[in-house]
Amino acid sequence: QVQLVESGGGLVQAGGSLRLSCAFSGRTFSSYAMGWFRQAPGKEREFVAAINWSGSSTYYADSMKGRFTIFRDNAKNTVYLQMNSLKPEDTAVYYCAARPKVGYQYDYWGQGTQVTVSS
């Protein structure tokens, strides 16, 4: 069974940066594509970024392009989300998720980590 544990969230001022980490365990990490999603209070969960199994391809929601970077270290079984130029509207619970590289949906989710950006 895959387990995902996020860390790195916290309180930051607008314009600041945070790096989220997601530790993967239970299966072979390089057999999974990984994604980051977020959910703000009163809003639906939304896609943030994704990365393929090798790290050679990345995908971003339009509002995150140029500010957020997703990358992974397959030797450490960890995926990261570097968030720069944070805005108050980035405040949300951030979740990482794992999708088998031959699959179409994210089967496994972490518990989430809170990111709060103050103005």
Side-chain angles (χ1 to χ4, degrees):
Q1 185 77 356
V2 170
Q3 291 188 322
L4 303 172
V5 179
E6 301 98 333
S7 60
L11 174 64
V12 63
Q13 289 188 333
S17 299
L18 280 175
R19 178 178 292 183
L20 306 183
S21 301
C22 174
F24 176 105
S25 63
R27 296 281 170 85
T28 302
F29 184 52
S30 58
S31 295
Y32 289 81
M34 300 296 295
W36 285 97
F37 295 77
R38 70 185 187 185
Q39 187 167 20
K43 296 187 177 181
E44 294 189 353
R45 185 173 60 197
E46 64 173 341
F47 169 77
V48 173
I51 188 167
N52 72 340
W53 67 274
S54 67
S56 62
S57 296
T58 57
Y59 312 89
Y60 298 92
D62 287 344
S63 61
M64 287 68 162
K65 287 180 181 177
R67 298 191 301 125
F68 291 8
T69 303
I70 186 172
F71 58 102
R72 64 191 292 162
D73 186 338
N74 283 357
K76 295 183 177 180
N77 291 350
T78 302
V79 63
Y80 304 91
L81 184 69
Q82 177 67 43
M83 305 186 295
N84 299 329
S85 302
L86 283 163
K87 306 174 182 180
E89 51 263 43
D90 293 319
T91 295
V93 178
Y94 284 71
Y95 300 89
C96 71
R99 174 177 64 79
K101 64 180 179 181
V102 295
Y104 296 96
Q105 64 181 19
Y106 289 91
D107 292 334
Y108 303 100
W109 295 81
Q111 83 288 349
T113 186
Q114 176 71 47
V115 171
T116 303
V117 185
S118 63
S119 57

